[in-house]
Amino acid sequence: MNQDYIKPDNWSIIEEGFDAESVKSSESLFSIGNGAMGQRANFEESYTGKTFQGSYIAGIYYPDKTKVGWWKNGYPEYFAKVLNAPNWIGIDIEINGENLDMNACTEVTDFRRELNMKEGWYNRSFKAKLKNGTEIAVNVTRFLSITLDEVGIINYEITPLNKDAKIVYKPYIDAGVTNEDANWDEKFWEPLEVKHIGNEAFVTAQTFKTHFKVTTFMHNSVLENDRNLNLSPTNFDTSADKIQSSYAVIVAQGKKSSIQKIGGYTVSLNHANTLTAAEKVIQSALAKGYDQLLQDQIDAWAKIWEMSDITIDGDVKAQQGIRFNIFQLNQTYLGKDSRLNIGPKGFTGEKYGGSTYWDTEAYCIPFYMATKDQEVARNLLTYRYNQLDKAIENAEKNLGFKDGAALYPMVTMNGEECHNEWEITHEEIHRNGAIAFAIFNYHRFTGDYSYIPEKGLEVLIGIARFWHQRANFSKDKNQYVILGVTGPNEYENNINNNFYTNYIAKWCIDYTYEQIKKVSLEFPSDHKRIIEKVKLAEAELQEWKKVADNMYFPKSEELGVYLQQDGFLDKDLVPVKDLDPSQRPINQKWSWDRVLRSPYIKQADVLQCFYFFEEHFSKEELKRNFEFYESFTVHESSLSPCVHSIQAAALDKMDMAYTFYLRTSRLDLDDYNKEVEEGCHITSMAGTWMSIVEGFGGMRVKNNALHFSPKIPKEWKAYSFKINFRGQILKVDINHSETAFSVDGTEELTIVVNNNAVVVSPYNTVTVK
Ligand code: BGC
């Protein structure tokens, strides 16, 4: 059974009724973020029930020393972790002398949470009866400002219901936090300074090893019936890493009392002096005030939704699902800073360490390209360009490669490899291909070639050199082979000739070769600069070509399918439908030995190749490979169902496409994998977007034009989305009888719908049956 306590709603995520068992799941689902920081939906007041505390700051990490049973050469020294950052939200609350703790109250009723995705705020309300008999109503709103992205705001209201109450608010900031996933139970934060003035307080701490300095700050105001009482704290409790102030008020029965807490972080990535920066940030927030900050938040989200919303008519759960995905992607990454990237869990949990994976290039870039200005995707590409030296070092250090061959890490924060598992992640060299593919995809979509001569070509050359050196000539096959890899399907390790890897390796070399020739003709000075820098001679190019032109691809002529790897057909090929459901998920039920020998596939692998390079294959080949591999796929990666959904739609298997769509879009809301308490699957959310736009909408970019082949699941009445194509905004509205296209702007746009050219002029909707 999947979980189903989230109320269906078009714009909000809603939970009603207090269930201590779902607190950790809800802490993930109701997380908030603004691209610069994020916060799990932890309670402000004390809570002694089960909880997973998480506050995160983009780009702030700790290299946690690797812990393995048996050390092997090639293991990375450390696993980079996004840190649980100092707590800025905490407010202990005393009511008539008793500490408020929902886990200890005599009764909690009317509990409700709402994450309002349209306006970007999170609210929680409840009534509680304390052991001392006082009954109160609580209503708390919190958001992380998009306009002032170092600032979070909490408005915490309490109304005593059955008697007058002495309320003591004890807001605090605390750098004495730890990570649940710390390898050696070490502390990651070293406190440096604690300071307070008036209603403001600051804790400055730095990370051990990486020495990121962070000032966590707060400013508090106490109000009665929305009137600021201008109270000063009666007391400050300080320790080396924590500071807590107290404000006491007597509140008459039925009157509303509140505390407004402004908090957040200033970090040394952005400021030379984080303390003075924090003082300034508080002033900017106070100058705006709560109401204006909230209005700015609503306006900022309206702008984001204006471009990125997808509407679905006639299916609230599907609507809620896609908006949740789009909302979370925007909470995680807004594309302002090329030093940042998109961790698989975003700011919603510790798993995957907030690090960058191939997920960004393989899954996220299409969403950001189509819903934001091209700068955003370009920043994601630049992130890898800036880490090219480290990728070259990585190939040298780990594989003994030379002459500028680059192996990008599978898991990274700063360009260094920091995965935890050798057989799986280390051998997943296919990620190098996705990084090159993203450069191609960026140019295909945006038409902006300038990135390639400026930066991309160097990355491509490093990657092509890697593939050239990694392949070896097999005398037996009289072709080049790539041995000892893990493909995207992590349920087979150390295999030979993974079709996907061999294919993308060849493609990378061919594509790089073409770009070198193009840049030499069209951007000769860039060509000269790059060739001199990387010391590339024509003879080396010819060596690469030999590998690409003679790459081996495993294939079964009899079945008409490419083989996931050399030995795939030796397996006991029992399809998933004949697998006892009690054995799933196999990664939780079976030993690794059993998983590896089985034919079961975690996520698209051969089919990932068909996804990236659809045009290289016929529909008939897609059908055969899809039907063959789908029957063995267990979709135990969140990244899996979206690719299958897109391909099922292309093959007119709409029921299947819809089932996969639901699975990807409500993966976290319905907790399909029974792990949402660890955090949400942020990177696969971009795949959900792809399932609608590329799957049902059939969008592709070919020869500088958008192509569509619109379809609609029978469960929906209509749906719509927008695409920012090279600065022009195209709106697509699809229902069961027709598709309407319109453009915002002054220029006409020629698109291709079901293989026919259609001209869409401004202010004129074109309808295609
Ligand atoms: C998937 C990888 C992915 C990683 C992070 C794994 O479960 O198999 O492809 O990169 O999660 O999302």
Side-chain angles (χ1 to χ4, degrees):
M1 251 296 272
N2 299 326
Q3 94 185 356
D4 67 349
Y5 70 87
I6 299 298
K7 304 278 165 266
D9 184 276
N10 281 334
W11 274 111
S12 285
I13 305 303
I14 296 168
E15 175 184 8
E16 282 168 356
F18 182 62
D19 176 4
E21 286 312 308
S22 55
V23 165
K24 283 168 77 175
S25 298
S26 292
E27 284 174 341
S28 301
L29 293 173
F30 291 80
S31 289
I32 51 176
N34 64 3
M37 60 173 158
Q39 176 61 50
R40 283 174 58 85
N42 306 128
F43 302 148
E44 287 82 1
E45 74 281 359
S46 341
Y47 183 66
T48 50
K50 280 185 272 176
T51 165
F52 172 21
Q53 297 288 309
S55 312
Y56 309 101
I57 308 172
I60 304 293
Y61 67 92
Y62 178 82
D64 202 12
K65 193 167 151 351
T66 304
K67 190 173 194 174
V68 287
W70 201 297
W71 186 267
K72 292 193 187 82
N73 279 343
Y75 274 145
E77 313 265 298
Y78 68 89
F79 186 69
K81 288 190 169 142
V82 68
L83 291 178
N84 185 17
N87 179 329
W88 70 269
I89 64 164
I91 312 177
D92 289 332
I93 291 181
E94 225 177 81
I95 310 274
N96 287 333
E98 183 178 330
N99 185 42
L100 174 63
D101 169 3
M102 284 211 288
N103 194 43
C105 288
T106 313
E107 197 176 47
V108 174
T109 57
D110 298 298
F111 179 87
R112 183 176 191 276
R113 297 187 200 242
E114 175 176 356
L115 179 63
N116 187 305
M117 301 185 285
K118 187 170 186 184
E119 302 188 338
W121 49 259
Y122 162 60
N123 175 273
R124 173 172 62 107
S125 56
F126 60 96
K127 288 186 181 145
K129 187 170 178 184
L130 282 82
K131 289 204 194 78
N132 63 18
T134 319
E135 291 172 27
I136 53 167
V138 175
N139 185 18
V140 198
T141 302
R142 170 161 101 199
F143 59 92
L144 294 179
S145 171
I146 295 213
T147 33
L148 289 183
D149 67 7
E150 292 161 316
V151 171
I153 303 121
I154 299 167
N155 186 45
Y156 197 113
E157 298 174 351
I158 303 179
T159 310
L161 297 175
N162 64 339
K163 52 169 111 163
D164 298 352
K166 178 178 179 202
I167 301 178
V168 186
Y169 293 107
K170 296 193 238 170
Y172 63 88
I173 43 180
D174 180 9
V177 293
T178 49
N179 266 48
E180 286 206 350
D181 67 354
N183 283 345
W184 307 90
D185 291 331
E186 284 170 339
K187 280 213 154 193
F188 296 162
W189 291 100
E190 177 187 15
L192 297 177
E193 187 186 355
V194 171
K195 179 180 162 186
H196 64 85
I197 355 163
N199 290 307
E200 297 172 4
F202 309 86
V203 174
T204 302
Q206 73 176 359
T207 52
F208 285 107
K209 296 188 194 168
T210 34
H211 304 300
F212 291 112
K213 216 189 238 186
V214 172
T215 296
T216 307
F217 58 83
M218 67 171 175
H219 174 285
N220 301 291
S221 327
V222 176
L223 297 84
E224 188 176 288
N225 277 343
D226 300 325
R227 191 174 52 86
N228 193 337
L229 299 175
N230 292 316
L231 290 189
S232 300
T234 51
N235 182 37
F236 272 105
D237 249 349
T238 52
S239 65
D241 46 19
K242 180 174 174 182
I243 179 160
Q244 179 158 36
S245 52
S246 298
Y247 297 83
V249 281
I250 305 290
V251 185
Q253 179 184 351
K255 281 248 172 13
K256 184 176 80 185
S257 165
S258 52
I259 181 166
Q260 277 178 8
K261 181 175 185 184
I262 293 172
Y265 311 105
T266 45
V267 301
S268 55
L269 277 176
N270 304 322
H271 301 283
N273 185 330
T274 55
L275 185 62
T276 48
E279 286 164 352
K280 280 202 197 123
V281 169
I282 293 179
Q283 290 318 312
S284 319
L286 287 174
K288 289 206 175 239
Y290 181 85
D291 292 343
Q292 188 57 47
L293 283 168
L294 180 58
Q295 191 53 52
D296 289 354
Q297 181 77 348
I298 296 170
D299 296 345
W301 274 102
K303 228 165 136 194
I304 292 174
W305 285 116
E306 171 61 26
M307 185 57 226
S308 59
D309 192 21
I310 291 185
T311 65
I312 298 174
D313 241 22
D315 189 339
V316 184
K317 284 192 140 186
Q319 175 70 82
Q320 186 180 38
I322 186 63
R323 285 204 172 122
F324 181 66
N325 287 257
I326 296 169
F327 181 69
Q328 289 291 0
L329 285 164
N330 279 290
Q331 293 210 108
T332 307
Y333 184 77
L334 286 166
K336 290 188 212 163
D337 188 339
S338 64
R339 292 170 303 177
L340 306 181
N341 210 284
I342 309 154
K345 298 267 167 197
F347 298 125
T348 68
E350 293 174 4
K351 200 168 172 202
Y352 297 113
S355 300
T356 307
Y357 284 67
W358 75 309
D359 304 27
T360 296
E361 284 78 14
Y363 293 86
C364 299
I365 279 187
F367 166 80
Y368 287 102
M369 279 195 303
T371 66
K372 309 248 178 251
D373 292 339
Q374 72 185 37
E375 271 320 297
V376 171
R378 204 182 158 110
N379 273 342
L380 287 171
L381 299 185
T382 301
Y383 174 94
R384 296 292 192 177
Y385 174 73
N386 291 338
Q387 298 184 348
L388 177 59
D389 290 347
K390 292 258 169 63
I392 292 173
E393 222 178 279
N394 186 32
E396 265 169 24
K397 208 165 69 185
N398 281 312
L399 305 170
F401 285 8
K402 53 187 188 348
D403 304 330
L407 174 59
Y408 277 91
M410 185 64 182
V411 184
T412 194
M413 273 289 178
N414 65 357
E416 280 164 2
E417 178 62 84
C418 62
H419 64 79
N420 253 346
E421 290 165 307
W422 181 76
E423 294 79 357
I424 302 183
T425 2
H426 189 77
E427 294 200 325
E428 274 190 79
I429 54 173
H430 66 79
R431 77 267 189 167
N432 239 16
I435 289 162
F437 182 80
I439 295 174
F440 158 78
N441 203 10
Y442 171 79
H443 171 234
R444 175 172 64 173
F445 189 92
T446 63
D448 170 25
Y449 193 75
S450 70
Y451 180 74
I452 294 181
E454 270 172 40
K455 296 179 174 156
L457 191 60
E458 282 178 57
V459 171
L460 292 172
I461 291 171
I463 291 175
R465 281 177 157 161
F466 170 81
W467 290 122
H468 163 236
Q469 294 179 36
R470 185 62 171 75
N472 67 280
F473 187 72
S474 154
K475 275 197 193 138
D476 178 50
K477 294 194 164 64
N478 200 24
Q479 275 180 308
Y480 284 89
V481 293
I482 301 183
L483 307 179
V485 304
T486 295
N489 168 31
E490 294 181 337
Y491 289 177
E492 287 188 319
N493 301 160
N494 202 35
I495 49 162
N496 296 332
N497 295 312
N498 169 251
F499 173 72
Y500 172 79
T501 304
N502 288 20
Y503 198 91
I504 206 160
K506 171 187 163 50
W507 176 84
C508 284
I509 295 179
D510 288 340
Y511 181 66
T512 305
Y513 185 89
E514 282 163 31
Q515 300 325 302
I516 294 171
K517 299 293 166 204
K518 187 171 156 89
V519 171
S520 84
L521 291 176
E522 296 172 21
F523 302 87
S525 64
D526 286 307
H527 182 260
K528 185 163 178 289
R529 170 181 56 80
I530 296 168
I531 297 304
E532 280 173 14
K533 180 172 171 194
V534 304
K535 303 194 179 56
L536 183 69
E538 185 61 33
E540 185 185 340
L541 286 185
Q542 295 319 316
E543 287 301 312
W544 298 0
K545 279 300 269 176
K546 246 201 255 166
V547 172
D549 293 346
N550 297 294
M551 184 66 81
Y552 164 73
F553 300 113
K555 190 174 179 183
S556 159
E557 295 299 341
E558 193 188 330
L559 298 171
V561 299
Y562 294 100
L563 294 181
Q564 192 166 273
Q565 47 106 350
D566 277 349
F568 194 77
L569 290 184
D570 295 334
K571 295 192 162 193
D572 186 10
L573 293 171
V574 178
V576 180
K577 70 174 175 32
D578 297 334
L579 177 66
D580 178 352
S582 71
Q583 301 298 297
R584 297 175 66 186
I586 60 168
N587 69 12
Q588 288 171 24
K589 299 286 166 68
W590 286 3
S591 69
W592 201 237
D593 173 280
R594 234 177 135 181
V595 169
L596 293 179
R597 278 184 287 122
S598 82
Y600 303 119
I601 302 172
K602 183 181 181 191
Q603 68 201 86
D605 190 308
V606 170
L607 296 181
Q608 185 73 32
C609 185
F610 275 78
Y611 171 67
F612 277 171
F613 304 110
E614 190 184 49
E615 285 173 74
H616 300 185
F617 303 99
S618 68
K619 211 36 169 296
E620 188 43 43
E621 279 179 296
L622 171 64
K623 185 166 182 293
R624 273 199 309 268
N625 283 273
F626 179 83
E627 287 170 358
F628 183 72
Y629 286 109
E630 164 50 27
S631 72
F632 300 111
T633 306
V634 283
H635 301 289
E636 288 176 15
S637 160
S638 64
L639 298 173
S640 189
C642 59
V643 171
H644 285 239
S645 180
I646 295 167
Q647 291 173 341
L651 293 169
D652 279 323
K653 298 173 186 285
M654 281 299 280
D655 286 343
M656 211 180 200
Y658 182 70
T659 309
F660 287 133
Y661 166 75
L662 275 189
R663 190 174 170 137
T664 144
S665 83
R666 295 192 61 91
L667 179 78
D668 291 318
L669 290 177
D670 296 344
D671 200 9
Y672 277 81
N673 290 354
K674 315 232 175 319
E675 55 175 15
V676 73
E677 56 182 50
E678 294 175 356
C680 298
H681 297 84
I682 302 297
T683 44
S684 72
M685 293 183 176
T688 310
W689 178 91
M690 298 190 316
S691 320
I692 294 191
V693 173
E694 299 178 9
F696 304 145
M699 187 184 90
R700 303 287 187 273
V701 183
K702 295 182 201 167
N703 306 321
N704 294 308
L706 286 176
H707 287 231
F708 295 90
S709 49
K711 293 176 184 156
I712 178 166
K714 63 179 182 313
E715 290 78 3
W716 300 355
K717 287 199 188 113
Y719 66 103
S720 75
F721 56 85
K722 283 187 182 169
I723 300 297
N724 179 345
F725 188 65
R726 306 186 177 184
Q728 269 175 292
I729 313 295
L730 178 75
K731 177 152 195 261
V732 185
D733 280 277
I734 301 170
N735 64 30
H736 287 276
S737 48
E738 60 191 32
T739 302
F741 297 93
S742 52
V743 281
D744 259 8
T746 49
E747 284 167 50
E748 61 179 36
L749 181 68
T750 302
I751 59 173
V752 180
V753 185
N754 296 329
N755 298 321
N756 299 314
V758 172
V759 179
V760 192
S761 337
Y763 314 109
N764 195 8
T765 300
V766 181
T767 307
V768 180
K769 294 282 175 218

